[in-house]
Amino acid sequence: MLYIIGLGLADEYDITLKGLNAIKQCERVYLEAYTSMLLVGQERLESLYEKKVIIADREMVEQQSDEILQNADKINVAFLVVGDPFGATTHTDLVLRANELGIEVKAIHNSSIMNAIGATGLQLYNFGQTISMVFFTESWRPDSWYEKIKENSSIGLHTLCLLDIKVKEQSIENLARGRKIYEPPRYMTTNQAISQLLEIEQSRNERAYTPETVAVAVARIGADSQKIAVGSLKQLQSVDMGEPLHSLVLVGCRLHILEAEILRSFAVDLPELDKIFARDFKMD
């Protein structure tokens, strides 16, 4: 059997008992290491599992999945995913490949940023479409996510912004020359995400959001060092959220009074936040 096991968000102890028991029964254990990351290293996982953990980078998962699935019709294999097993479409593709080979698949779920974002006080059923933001380059500044924010905003819904992670990436020159030299890991901060958001709004000028739009910056959700900050995009642009991973929420204008009260507890400038609430929001 192929087990696809969610690890949760913070450290080795976030795994469920069901997930840990499944790992104990597996002969090979892979850790997907490019869509997200835990806040602890591989050695901490191996100590708890009492198993060797094989790091599965993007290349392995997307191009060498046969290696992961090898003999999985005869032995148990675990594929570990930070968050929930189906937080990334890549993992659905792995399930389809396993099905084609007649390999039984069992998913063991866990918390992910998609539900843990409720720690902000925002109600999950008031969220619209989630977007992903990638690092801009000098020649590539994609903004396909803008329309989704605009649609969410038009009906007062919140937008969760997932921020880019660059792990084991090659420069264009090294890629062109076939050199297996990788760039240092990079993790997008909320500051960088806000700068990119404001740049695109300035160029498009369709007012899907403005520098005064209320947002929630979050970092290391689920960890003891979790941090949440609420303010306008302009205010949050200068707030240091610390170590990765970061996410950002654009707050919709149809806000429940309970959501507003909890957001106030995380305000970087409460009087200013109250002014924006009074001016721009329709409280349910």
Side-chain angles (χ1 to χ4, degrees), residues 30 50 60 68 87 164 211 227 251 273:
Y30 295 90
E50 299 179 337
M60 173 180 281
I68 297 172
D164 201 6
K227 183 173 180 178
V251 178
L273 181 63

Side-chain angles (χ1 to χ4, degrees), residues 113-161:
I113 190 62
M114 301 291 283
N115 56 21
I117 199 64
T120 61
L122 295 173
Q123 298 172 2
L124 295 180
Y125 47 77
N126 287 339
F127 278 79
Q129 303 167 88
T130 297
I131 68 162
S132 295
M133 296 190 65
V134 300
F135 283 108
F136 284 174
T137 68
E138 290 184 8
S139 58
W140 189 54
R141 305 179 102 68
D143 63 354
S144 57
W145 39 261
Y146 185 89
E147 292 301 326
K148 292 184 179 180
I149 296 178
K150 189 175 177 182
E151 288 176 15
N152 290 345
S153 177
S154 71
I155 52 176
L157 298 180
H158 315 313
T159 301
L160 172 60
C161 308

Side-chain angles (χ1 to χ4, degrees), residues 8-269:
L9 292 168
D11 59 32
E12 71 272 34
Y13 297 116
D14 281 349
I15 192 169
T16 64
L17 290 175
K18 183 182 288 187
L20 183 58
N21 184 58
I23 289 173
K24 299 285 189 182
Q25 301 175 48
C26 290
E27 293 191 27
R28 294 198 311 275
V29 179
Y30 295 90
L31 172 62
E32 186 265 271
Y34 64 91
T35 60
S36 190
M37 57 174 268
L38 289 176
L39 304 181
V40 297
Q42 173 185 354
E43 67 283 353
R44 292 264 296 265
L45 302 182
E46 291 178 332
S47 176
L48 178 64
Y49 305 158
E50 299 179 337
K51 297 272 185 178
K52 175 180 172 56
V53 173
I54 304 165
I55 299 298
D57 59 18
R58 183 187 296 271
E59 182 179 353
M60 173 180 281
V61 177
E62 294 185 350
Q63 301 176 27
Q64 301 166 17
S65 60
D66 289 347
E67 181 177 334
I68 297 172
L69 298 174
Q70 184 178 7
N71 297 329
D73 56 337
K74 302 179 180 68
I75 63 171
N76 292 328
V77 175
F79 183 74
L80 311 182
V81 180
V82 176
D84 187 77
F86 298 116
T89 54
T90 297
H91 311 137
T92 305
D93 184 63
L94 188 63
V95 171
L96 292 173
R97 292 171 185 266
N99 289 342
E100 290 172 359
L101 295 171
I103 297 168
E104 187 176 355
V105 178
K106 183 171 184 178
I108 300 176
H109 295 280
N110 209 320
S111 61
S112 75
I113 190 62
M114 301 291 283
N115 56 21
I117 199 64
T120 61
L122 295 173
Q123 298 172 2
L124 295 180
Y125 47 77
N126 287 339
F127 278 79
Q129 303 167 88
T130 297
I131 68 162
S132 295
M133 296 190 65
V134 300
F135 283 108
F136 284 174
T137 68
E138 290 184 8
S139 58
W140 189 54
R141 305 179 102 68
D143 63 354
S144 57
W145 39 261
Y146 185 89
E147 292 301 326
K148 292 184 179 180
I149 296 178
K150 189 175 177 182
E151 288 176 15
N152 290 345
S153 177
S154 71
I155 52 176
L157 298 180
H158 315 313
T159 301
L160 172 60
C161 308
L162 304 178
L163 310 187
D164 201 6
I165 295 173
K166 297 290 188 188
V167 179
K168 206 174 179 183
E169 297 276 337
Q170 293 175 271
S171 67
I172 294 175
E173 180 183 356
N174 286 329
L175 191 62
R177 294 176 179 270
R179 296 186 298 211
K180 296 288 186 179
I181 301 174
Y182 300 100
E183 300 294 296
R186 287 193 297 153
Y187 307 96
M188 184 181 286
T189 65
T190 52
N191 316 90
Q192 292 167 317
I194 291 168
S195 293
Q196 294 187 181
L197 281 164
L198 295 179
E199 176 185 325
I200 295 302
E201 178 55 49
Q202 186 174 25
S203 66
R204 296 188 59 148
N205 196 31
E206 299 175 33
R207 296 186 67 81
Y209 48 87
T210 74
E212 298 302 315
T213 293
V214 173
V216 187
V218 301
R220 302 172 303 283
I221 286 289
D224 290 339
S225 63
Q226 170 179 299
K227 183 173 180 178
I228 301 173
V230 176
S232 67
L233 286 173
K234 181 171 60 178
Q235 290 173 326
L236 293 178
Q237 194 169 12
S238 60
V239 174
D240 182 3
M241 297 298 291
E243 295 297 309
L245 293 171
H246 294 188
S247 299
L248 185 72
V249 179
L250 302 182
V251 178
C253 66
R254 252 179 43 202
L255 199 64
H256 192 279
I257 189 66
L258 294 179
E259 292 178 294
E261 282 303 308
I262 298 181
L263 291 182
R264 293 179 78 250
S265 70
F266 299 120
V268 297
D269 183 339

